[in-house]
Amino acid sequence: MQRDTAQYRAEVVGSFLRPAAIKEARERFQAGEIEPEALRRIEDEAIRDVVAHQRASGLRIVTDGEFRRAWWHFDFFDGLQGVERYEAEQGIQFNGVQTKAHSVRVTGKLGFGNHPMLEDFRYLQSISGDAVAKMTIPSPSVLHFRGGRKAIDASVYPDLNAYFDDLAVTWRDAIKAFYDAGCRYLQLDDTVWAYLCSEDQKAQIRERGDDPEELAWIYAQVLNKALEGKPDDLTIGLHVCRGNFRSTWISEGGYEPVAEILFGSVNVDAFFLEYDNERAGGFEPLRFIKPGKQQVVLGLITTKNGELESRETVKKRIEEASRYVSLDQICLSPQCGFASTEEGNSLSEEEQWAKLRLVVDIANEIW
């Protein structure tokens, strides 16, 4: 499907810095000082405000900022059938900093069920006006990769082929459920494809007994099975992330190791690709993007710091990318969200909105 490109030239990845009101309310809720209904009312008000800020910045696509979540992925996994969150021995190791010690494991048959985030989307849709309400959820590969075989109960899934089948079906059901709730734009966030581009991460994958090349093919198949039967008027994007926690990162390396499999075979409508620094490599892998059928959203504006990029430099980089994929298939966005976890990145809200205005201004100049 060729989507209506006009409204998508200036893009947003999804998460925003949590305002003080939400941070305070979350602390009070954890302390038992307010009820869930009171927390949700505060979240509702903050989401209404962040949607208004996105529209004021010139965006025609809006998200809820992931304001109801502490994590970009664990909160979604929590709502799935057969998945259990637990306190791990250690957090996820980023470059010089570690997250809180949470993780997930599969303890029963996977299923989507009546997921609580469906109601989160319905609220966003109700306040989005004439903007496109985009929902963001983690990609299915993340659930497997985070713990691998050891995080999947062998009595439930003695055969991993059955697990991967259920993983695909669970996300297919998720896609249908969000569509039935009115969603016409769904983004899958995926750190795994970036790990498969990193020599250090691939070495760690081999140490735990997995083959990175085999995993790439498995994850591509799972994604395509999940996308089977996708309605023509539903846009699905895949965001490839190298890690985003308190302005730090995990993996590095260009897209070449997975480009042919990812860009050449995964049937999403758009790829959101981080290109904000040298860790992302060059634009050559974009040659595998299907001509005329998919879009590539270039994440040329960093969310790691508040320094505003040079407008001319960004435009030159877009011109460079257009040597490998048609300019008509290119869009522009920040490189990632501004707060993949509730802690947020090292920049101010004012700097956050300046970044988004820059994205919109450049997109309007080029397209």
Side-chain angles (χ1 to χ4, degrees):
M1 179 195 71
Q2 185 65 42
R3 60 185 189 158
D4 176 15
T5 57
Q7 62 189 346
Y8 294 96
R9 293 303 185 185
E11 276 275 14
V12 61
V13 173
S15 65
F16 289 95
L17 295 171
R18 308 299 197 266
I22 280 194
K23 291 183 177 181
E24 179 185 352
R26 192 78 41 82
E27 290 176 0
R28 292 182 65 199
F29 175 71
Q30 293 296 331
E33 296 174 4
I34 60 173
E35 297 298 319
E37 295 78 13
L39 173 61
R40 194 164 187 90
R41 285 195 298 270
I42 293 168
E43 291 171 343
D44 286 350
E45 184 176 346
I47 290 168
R48 188 179 292 275
D49 185 61
V50 82
V51 166
H53 270 85
Q54 290 172 80
R55 297 295 283 128
S57 298
L59 289 170
R60 299 174 66 182
I61 297 163
V62 296
T63 76
D64 64 2
E66 301 180 4
F67 279 2
R68 303 194 201 275
R69 310 183 207 179
W71 305 75
W72 63 277
H73 54 342
F74 287 147
D75 297 73
F76 179 82
F77 293 154
D78 280 350
L80 296 176
Q81 296 171 347
V83 177
E84 174 186 87
R85 193 196 293 202
Y86 67 96
E87 295 297 314
E89 293 181 3
Q90 64 179 42
I92 302 166
Q93 186 62 52
F94 280 72
N95 186 38
V97 65
Q98 196 174 105
T99 68
K100 297 172 184 174
H102 293 294
S103 193
V104 291
R105 54 194 170 205
V106 175
T107 58
K109 294 283 285 184
L110 289 175
F112 184 68
N114 186 24
H115 199 288
M117 285 191 184
L118 290 170
E119 190 56 38
D120 297 346
F121 171 76
R122 291 187 186 100
Y123 178 74
L124 173 64
Q125 180 86 313
S126 74
I127 63 170
S128 60
D130 61 351
V132 177
K134 178 165 74 168
M135 186 65 186
T136 63
I137 64 173
S139 177
S141 53
V142 180
L143 181 58
H144 170 261
F145 186 85
R146 181 59 63 204
R149 168 77 266 191
K150 72 177 187 297
I152 303 167
D153 191 324
S155 68
V156 179
Y157 288 109
D159 178 3
L160 278 184
N161 289 325
Y163 166 81
F164 286 122
D165 285 342
D166 282 359
L167 188 64
V169 170
T170 297
W171 258 256
R172 189 188 306 163
D173 290 346
I175 290 168
K176 183 180 186 303
F178 279 110
Y179 182 84
D180 290 345
C183 182
R184 295 299 179 268
Y185 195 0
L186 187 66
Q187 178 180 297
L188 307 178
D189 293 317
D190 199 318
T191 53
V192 178
W193 290 100
Y195 293 168
L196 297 176
C197 296
S198 164
E199 291 305 318
D200 177 63
Q201 290 295 318
K202 286 194 289 185
Q204 294 183 39
I205 292 168
R206 294 187 186 99
E207 286 175 7
R208 78 180 197 186
D210 286 321
D211 179 347
E213 286 69 32
E214 182 182 12
L215 285 182
W217 283 110
I218 290 172
Y219 293 152
Q221 291 170 357
V222 168
L223 279 165
N224 283 338
K225 286 180 182 178
L227 293 166
E228 287 176 358
K230 179 185 78 69
D232 287 342
D233 61 341
L234 172 63
T235 292
I236 295 186
L238 182 74
H239 171 229
V240 180
C241 175
R242 289 178 174 79
N244 189 46
F245 174 68
R246 289 183 168 175
S247 295
T248 60
W249 48 274
I250 292 178
S251 59
E252 55 187 323
Y255 298 98
E256 194 67 34
V258 300
E260 188 168 7
I261 298 173
L262 179 60
F263 304 148
S265 71
V266 175
N267 298 321
V268 292
D269 299 301
F271 292 101
F272 286 73
L273 305 177
E274 298 191 343
Y275 269 113
D276 61 323
N277 58 42
E278 65 281 354
R279 289 188 293 106
F283 294 119
E284 293 83 358
L286 300 183
R287 69 189 184 277
F288 290 107
I289 297 286
K290 298 182 183 72
K293 292 186 177 180
Q294 292 170 309
Q295 288 185 292
V296 54
V297 185
L298 298 179
L300 295 170
I301 309 296
T302 191
T303 64
K304 305 293 192 195
N305 61 65
E307 182 179 352
L308 208 57
E309 284 79 0
S310 159
R311 185 180 305 247
E312 291 308 312
T313 299
V314 172
K315 290 166 70 173
K316 286 178 182 177
R317 296 205 69 199
I318 292 172
E319 181 182 359
E320 182 184 347
S322 70
R323 300 173 193 168
Y324 303 98
V325 61
S326 169
L327 182 62
D328 190 52
Q329 290 177 253
I330 295 175
C331 304
L332 179 64
S333 77
Q335 138 266 338
C336 195
F338 293 94
S340 296
T341 67
E342 60 188 348
E343 289 84 358
N345 284 353
S346 300
L347 74 167
S348 67
E349 289 188 40
E350 181 180 345
E351 290 168 332
Q352 167 183 267
W353 297 116
K355 295 263 184 180
L356 279 182
R357 288 193 296 271
L358 180 64
V359 168
V360 172
D361 289 347
I362 294 174
N364 287 338
E365 288 179 21
I366 294 177
W367 291 285

